[in-house]
Amino acid sequence: MMTNTSREILIAPSILAADFANFGAECEAVEAQGADWVHVDVMDGHFVPNITFGPDMCQALRPHIKTVMDVHLMVAPVDPYLEAFAAAGADVLTVHAEAGPHLDRTLQAVKALGKRAGVALNPATPAVAIENVLDRIDLVCVMTVNPGFGGQSFISGMVEKVRQLKAMTAGRDILIEIDGGVTAETAPEVVAAGADVLVAGSAVFKGGSVAAPEAYGENIRAIRRAAEGAIGIRA
Ligand code: DX5
Ligand code: ZN
């Protein structure tokens, strides 16, 4: 189900950069403009120094998302909230490797809820952190900024981590997702290194709005073109 043998590049706009007073329409607008997934950043003000929203907001968003609701849980402890986010309609539940001492148990819980399981790695966390849970995951998310805020600069040292993860996950149905500072300029090197899913907040929502969504489409196409160009796919 998560196989990406054709090496299709998926663009996942992060609604962290959307109009917070208009999330439903924003999700519909980015999907209409070519988004493959919608990335939802849940922040708890404890694991990360910012607070966004919880399961009720995800549930309210769900009818406005036709593609994949990709929920990034920047929450610690995360286990007590997995059921609520699953019930809210998440398709992918990504937890942080740093968010608790029992990652294997957390991933078992995500799978038991019938969801695709992702693990996010902060910039300081090495690729090897997922080596012993490869059988339990569908996605690994490489944080290319320190989580908590949109609009930060891409940490280029993470490209080597993507390369290591690509080798580590070879032959498995595990997608490599990149999150933070993704633009048409930074996308090519991570895609060349092995990335499949590109999360982008500011770079997708800049210059547009629900009333003028064409800019979202242009931004998504620019990232996709740059990404696909890096691996020889012609748009
Ligand atoms: C950061 C979030 C990212 C963020 C990306 O903690 O996980 O998803 O929204 O935003 P940009 O693309 O603006 O770096
Ligand atoms: Zn995110």
Side-chain angles (χ1 to χ4, degrees):
M1 184 166 57
M2 298 282 281
T3 317
N4 203 20
T5 45
S6 63
R7 207 62 218 293
E8 182 194 5
I9 302 300
L10 303 171
I11 311 288
S14 163
I15 58 165
L16 191 61
D19 176 0
F20 269 46
N22 210 5
F23 276 134
E26 289 278 43
C27 291
E28 290 173 10
V30 284
E31 285 193 341
Q33 293 293 326
D36 297 298
W37 290 9
V38 175
H39 184 83
V40 181
D41 285 307
V42 176
M43 303 188 184
D44 68 349
H46 167 75
F47 179 69
V48 287
N50 195 4
I51 300 176
T52 54
F53 35 75
D56 289 349
M57 175 64 91
C58 291
Q59 188 160 13
L61 286 177
R62 183 66 264 194
H64 301 276
I65 298 174
K66 292 190 185 62
T67 59
V68 169
M69 185 169 175
D70 177 33
V71 177
H72 178 191
L73 296 169
M74 286 161 275
V75 176
V78 71
D79 291 11
Y81 302 100
L82 294 174
E83 204 173 331
F85 283 101
D91 295 299
V92 181
L93 282 175
T94 295
V95 301
H96 267 263
E98 310 84 5
H102 304 295
L103 180 61
D104 185 88
R105 177 185 291 151
T106 301
L107 294 169
Q108 287 189 51
V110 172
K111 297 308 283 183
L113 290 163
K115 302 300 178 180
R116 301 189 206 172
V119 176
L121 303 177
N122 279 338
T125 303
V128 72
I130 62 155
E131 198 169 24
N132 292 322
V133 292
L134 292 173
D135 289 341
R136 302 212 190 277
I137 65 175
D138 302 291
L139 176 146
V140 56
C141 174
V142 179
M143 294 306 304
T144 39
V145 299
N146 286 288
F149 304 95
Q152 303 180 77
S153 299
F154 180 85
I155 302 172
S156 56
M158 295 299 109
V159 176
E160 179 54 29
K161 194 193 289 188
V162 177
R163 222 170 270 127
Q164 292 166 2
L165 287 166
K166 181 71 178 171
M168 191 189 290
T169 59
R172 293 176 183 265
D173 290 345
I174 297 176
L175 294 175
I176 300 179
E177 181 177 69
I178 309 300
D179 191 1
V182 172
T183 64
E185 288 69 45
T186 57
E189 53 177 342
V190 281
V191 168
D196 303 296
V197 185
L198 302 177
V199 175
S202 343
V204 166
F205 286 92
K206 69 170 184 209
S209 68
V210 164
E214 302 75 20
Y216 298 164
E218 285 161 23
N219 294 338
I220 290 170
R221 283 191 295 278
I223 297 168
R224 196 187 299 283
R225 236 185 341 261
E228 292 183 345
I231 50 171
I233 301 174
R234 293 229 176 278

